[in-house]
Amino acid sequence: MADAVLAAARRDIASFHALPLSHGRSIRDSRIRESYESLFGAAQLAADVSYSGTMLDSFFRPRGPLREAQRLAARGFGADATYFLSTGTSTANRVALTALTRPGGRVLADRSCHQSVHFALGGLGVEVVYAPMQRCCADCPRTFGDLPRLLETFREAVAEGRPYDTVVLSAVSYDGVRYDLPTVLAELAAAHPGVRVLVDEAWGAVHRFHPRLRPLTALHAVERLRRTASAPPLTVAVTHSAHKSMSALRQGSYLHLAGEGEARERVAQALFQHHTTSPSWPVLASLDLARLQAETEGEQLLERSLHLAQTLRTELGTDPRLSAYRTLGAEGHLTDPALLVSDDPTRVLVDIGALGITAAEFRRVLFDEYALYVARESGDAVLFHLHIGVDEATLLRLLDALRTIQRTCRTTSAALTPGASDHFIIAYPPGIPIAVPGERVCDRTLGEIDALRSDGCEIYTLHQPGVSTAAVPVPSGPPVSAAVPGVSALPAVPAVPAGRK
């Protein structure tokens, strides 16, 4: 697929159909050309084409390079059939559910599923029952499906003569929780062999390609079931957001199917019903390349990810310069096999509450001051995903940033403690000190800091040991809120928001 798209891009093909931007033709003499090429490059503009049928391939009835790419992907992932999508896994989930369910059928759904599953089920004319969720523990904010209760509910429905036709599982969560799919699928098949299952593994597409991660994946679990003496006629659809863990372009998604005959035909029909008729050929080509890389380099890259994730945990647990951070999850919260869940070892959930700033402020500082991005926050915790795009140098950047933020925030917190101060505390604008070394910081001072930051000011502190001024007490005022923002301006240290607990 990738070779076919590249070959088309290298030809100087003039289109009388659509996509005037292809090859940059519509912007050749435009003032926006430089911006376009700076953002996307000439190669991307040339590869974004609008050819179909025999000119490149038919998306809905592929016979050429797309068909071969999908065949190779099915072989690599262990599926009976694989479909490429260029509109994301939300579409893949809708396609899968349309194919698996029947009007009037019964669906048992994991409550923790992505919104796309909930929205799709609402329009399919099925009876939906949600299995409950559970929280990891009081110390960890993660939630996930209560799988023992889900299986109990499923078995009870079978015993009552009203089995669920379809089960939906969210098996690799955003927060790094993985389901024991070999056990869950075996239990479902034993109770009702004809059950159809959708497994949303959006965050775990690459797990297939490492021996430590592979055993819990859905398609590997199906392979194990098929090797048993009485292999059940189980139909399983698996959706993967390739761009979340593999080297694929955004919106690139795989839909894998373990099932024959009618199941394949229904998936093809549902794909035609829900996918755009203008697929992105660069996205589809990236799915082909991502599969090739995963097959040839995936184990090595994932081994690096696992090592770096463990390095991050070790550094946070042993370096006194990182003592304000506490890892959650991977240190033993999900070790009870009865829960049928375990941790994704490529993710590190970190409590940053001891810094005295909120998780949202912490994420903003990482992004603005250090060009480091984390997406997930939950309470006082943030989630670091050590995916295959994170290398040793990137982890060192993160660790350096964490040390600097800890040093800065703790200095700021000390400056904003009631009592005699040895800091300048300055609001900018206007740049006039709220307090100077030797003055007392009291509730009224802290209330003024609260009010200034609410008005958009940044608060800076500067430690000046040895500076002596007359200590002029400021009369006490009313109590202030628990979170006092501030920014510490230590020499050669970027300013970061700070708070007081």
Side-chain angles (χ1 to χ4, degrees):
M1 184 75 253
D3 291 339
V5 172
L6 182 60
R10 286 173 171 169
R11 295 183 63 194
D12 186 21
I13 301 173
S15 172
F16 290 87
H17 167 51
L19 200 65
L21 183 61
S22 185
H23 289 270
R25 293 181 185 278
S26 64
I27 58 171
R28 187 159 293 168
D29 300 314
S30 172
R31 59 188 297 180
I32 67 172
R33 180 184 181 90
E34 183 177 350
S35 295
Y36 251 108
E37 291 191 346
S38 296
L39 278 172
F40 305 110
Q44 165 70 14
L45 295 176
D48 198 4
V49 297
S50 183
Y51 313 139
S52 59
T54 58
M55 305 304 173
L56 190 54
D57 207 346
S58 167
F59 177 74
F60 295 108
R61 289 185 178 175
R63 303 176 184 86
L66 177 57
R67 180 180 180 179
E68 176 63 8
Q70 292 183 155
R71 184 191 69 80
L72 292 172
R75 185 187 69 182
F77 282 95
D80 294 325
T82 293
Y83 306 84
F84 288 7
L85 293 86
S86 69
T87 53
T89 304
S90 292
T91 301
N93 283 335
R94 178 174 290 276
V95 169
L97 287 169
T98 301
L100 294 177
T101 62
R102 309 290 187 273
R106 305 188 74 211
V107 178
L108 180 60
D110 181 346
R111 175 65 177 76
S112 67
C113 282
H114 185 259
Q115 65 184 47
S116 59
V117 170
H118 300 283
F119 297 157
L121 289 173
L124 290 173
V126 295
E127 176 191 348
V128 181
V129 174
Y130 286 115
M133 296 171 61
Q134 62 177 319
R135 187 183 179 92
C136 177
C137 62
D139 190 45
C140 182
R142 295 181 297 173
T143 57
F144 46 87
D146 188 336
L147 296 180
R149 291 184 63 186
L150 181 148
L151 291 173
E152 180 182 359
T153 300
F154 186 79
R155 286 189 289 262
E156 288 175 351
V158 172
E160 293 168 359
R162 299 185 65 241
Y164 292 99
D165 311 292
T166 307
V167 174
V168 186
L169 301 169
S170 181
V172 183
S173 80
Y174 193 9
D175 289 329
V177 178
R178 303 182 72 205
Y179 288 1
D180 179 358
L181 289 173
T183 299
V184 173
L185 292 182
E187 292 284 337
L188 292 173
H192 182 40
V195 67
R196 299 179 290 271
V197 185
L198 168 60
V199 181
D200 183 343
E201 286 185 327
W203 286 92
V206 78
H207 289 179
R208 169 78 182 186
F209 302 95
H210 192 279
R212 179 178 168 188
L213 301 173
R214 185 182 307 121
L216 294 186
T217 60
L219 292 170
H220 183 73
V222 171
E223 290 173 343
R224 288 180 55 183
L225 278 173
R226 287 178 171 179
R227 288 196 294 265
T228 61
S230 56
L234 196 65
T235 297
V236 178
V238 181
T239 54
H240 282 154
S241 287
H243 66 270
K244 288 181 168 65
S245 64
M246 300 173 67
S247 300
L249 293 178
R250 194 167 176 84
Q251 298 295 308
S253 182
Y254 301 113
L255 169 54
H256 308 287
L257 183 66
E260 300 291 342
E262 182 187 7
R264 289 199 195 187
E265 181 59 31
R266 288 183 65 87
V267 168
Q269 291 175 358
L271 189 68
F272 182 69
Q273 180 181 351
H274 295 297
H275 197 281
T276 177
T277 56
S278 301
S280 167
W281 291 104
V283 171
L284 298 177
S286 79
L287 290 170
D288 188 26
L289 292 173
R291 182 274 312 165
L292 177 61
Q293 183 193 35
E295 287 188 319
T296 57
E297 305 168 8
E299 182 173 343
Q300 176 184 353
L301 291 170
L302 284 166
E303 189 64 33
R304 181 181 69 181
S305 293
L306 293 168
H307 172 72
L308 293 178
Q310 186 55 48
T311 299
L312 176 57
R313 296 184 193 99
T314 300
E315 289 294 314
L316 294 180
T318 59
D319 187 341
R321 296 170 296 173
L322 298 168
S323 59
Y325 307 97
R326 184 168 59 94
T327 58
L328 302 173
E331 300 302 314
H333 289 124
L334 298 178
T335 57
D336 183 357
L339 294 175
L340 301 178
V341 297
S342 63
D343 291 291
D344 177 351
T346 67
R347 296 171 183 272
V348 183
L349 190 65
V350 179
D351 188 300
I352 57 94
L355 290 175
I357 61 177
T358 67
E361 289 172 324
F362 175 77
R363 290 177 56 228
R364 189 79 243 177
V365 170
L366 278 180
F367 188 76
D368 289 346
E369 303 295 338
Y370 302 97
L372 296 168
Y373 178 65
V374 290
R376 179 62 163 156
E377 62 182 74
S378 182
D380 286 333
V382 294
L383 183 70
F384 297 97
H385 182 196
L386 282 297
H387 53 72
I388 64 173
V390 175
D391 60 13
E392 291 81 358
T394 308
L395 179 59
L396 288 176
R397 280 179 55 197
L398 173 63
L399 290 170
D400 286 344
L402 295 180
R403 293 183 184 105
T404 303
I405 292 171
Q406 173 173 311
R407 184 170 68 248
T408 305
C409 286
R410 289 197 163 174
T411 302
T412 301
S413 296
L416 300 181
T417 301
S421 176
D422 57 357
H423 291 74
F424 283 100
I425 303 175
I426 301 172
Y428 186 82
I432 299 172
I434 301 167
V436 298
E439 290 183 343
R440 290 188 61 81
V441 175
C442 59
D443 286 345
R444 182 169 178 177
T445 312
L446 298 174
E448 181 183 356
I449 292 170
D450 267 343
L452 286 167
R453 190 168 187 273
S454 296
D455 290 338
C457 295
E458 292 181 328
I459 307 301
Y460 295 83
T461 67
L462 184 63
H463 189 214
Q464 291 286 282
V467 175
S468 178
T469 63
V472 181
V474 182
S476 296
V480 296
S481 63
V484 179
V487 178
S488 176
L490 296 175
V493 176
V496 298
R500 177 174 61 90
K501 287 195 173 182

